[in-house]
Amino acid sequence: MIISESWLKTWVNSNLSATEIAEVLTMSGIEVDSIKTMAPEFSNVVLGKILNIRKHPNADRLNICTVFTGEELEIICGAKNVSKNMFVACALSGAKLPGKISIKKTKMRGVLSNGMLCSEQELGISNDSEGIMELKQINENLIGKNIREILNLDEKILDLKITPNRGDCLSVRGVARELAASTK
């Protein structure tokens, strides 16, 4: 069973870290298989807003997007779902993505691209690679801020192995009750 640290803490008032919670649960008979974050490590990815889109003059399937990240950048993108006023995860020049991918300014068919618009797959969030990740219901004041903070991607996730005799712990509420009882 997979459970997030913050979800568990909505049910039980605890100042314990994810590692300490794992130790308490393990000692009470609930094996914690692993503790991970929502997304693997990446850096220099911020929230951006697409201001304008125009076709690439030397490529049929590419667009040149003007993206605002605190400053206006031109980024070349081949995703079909790109649209004006869309909020996106923007990897700036110098970004490090999962899989040891480094982003730098690059000329693509004669036009300079100053970064990359990211899909969920490229950030390691999911296997979805149908297009760039569209962020909805985002406050415009967050433009230029770290996407890890905005999406809470450093959230700790506990993978629990619940044994058949612990049916009471097959819910967040049950695990929270066990944690509360174990920590008094």
Side-chain angles (χ1 to χ4, degrees):
M1 182 170 101
I2 296 174
I3 187 171
S4 76
E5 178 186 13
S6 65
W7 195 10
L8 184 60
K9 287 183 176 182
T10 62
W11 283 90
V12 63
N13 186 13
S14 174
N15 293 327
L16 299 176
S17 69
T19 305
E20 293 168 328
I21 289 171
E23 289 173 10
V24 169
L25 291 176
T26 299
M27 295 308 293
S28 69
I30 300 172
E31 183 181 349
V32 179
D33 195 32
S34 65
I35 302 172
K36 298 179 183 173
T37 57
M38 291 283 288
E41 274 303 309
F42 60 81
S43 64
N44 210 18
V45 180
V46 299
L47 178 67
K49 182 178 182 180
I50 298 175
L51 301 177
N52 192 20
I53 302 168
R54 65 183 195 278
K55 288 287 183 197
H56 192 295
N58 303 321
D60 293 336
R61 295 184 180 153
L62 297 177
N63 293 307
I64 302 171
C65 302
T66 303
V67 182
F68 184 68
T69 62
E71 64 178 313
E72 287 189 17
L73 302 172
E74 283 195 341
I75 298 176
I76 297 175
C77 179
K80 294 177 183 176
N81 69 327
V82 66
S83 64
K84 188 175 178 179
N85 295 322
M86 182 180 192
F87 289 100
V88 294
C90 182
L92 303 174
S93 181
K96 304 281 188 213
L97 300 181
K100 298 182 180 177
I101 297 170
S102 296
I103 305 301
K104 59 184 177 182
K105 293 179 182 184
T106 306
K107 273 196 175 182
M108 297 178 74
R109 298 203 177 192
V111 178
L112 184 66
S113 181
N114 294 294
M116 182 174 102
L117 303 181
C118 301
S119 70
E120 291 178 13
Q121 183 181 32
E122 290 161 337
L123 296 179
I125 297 171
S126 79
N127 293 328
D128 182 16
S129 64
E130 289 298 315
I132 58 173
M133 180 170 62
E134 182 176 4
L135 302 165
K136 297 181 179 179
Q137 299 175 351
I138 295 288
N139 185 337
E140 204 153 331
N141 295 333
L142 297 175
I143 290 175
K145 303 286 186 204
N146 186 333
I147 206 75
R148 290 192 78 83
E149 293 171 15
I150 294 169
L151 299 179
N152 198 20
L153 296 177
D154 290 322
E155 168 77 33
K156 301 290 187 222
I157 304 297
L158 291 89
D159 188 0
L160 309 177
K161 282 190 177 179
I162 309 294
T163 56
N165 66 325
R166 293 304 309 262
D168 60 315
C169 292
L170 288 174
S171 67
V172 176
R173 182 179 180 188
V175 174
R177 185 180 300 143
E178 186 64 32
L179 180 62
S182 296
T183 58
K184 297 182 173 102

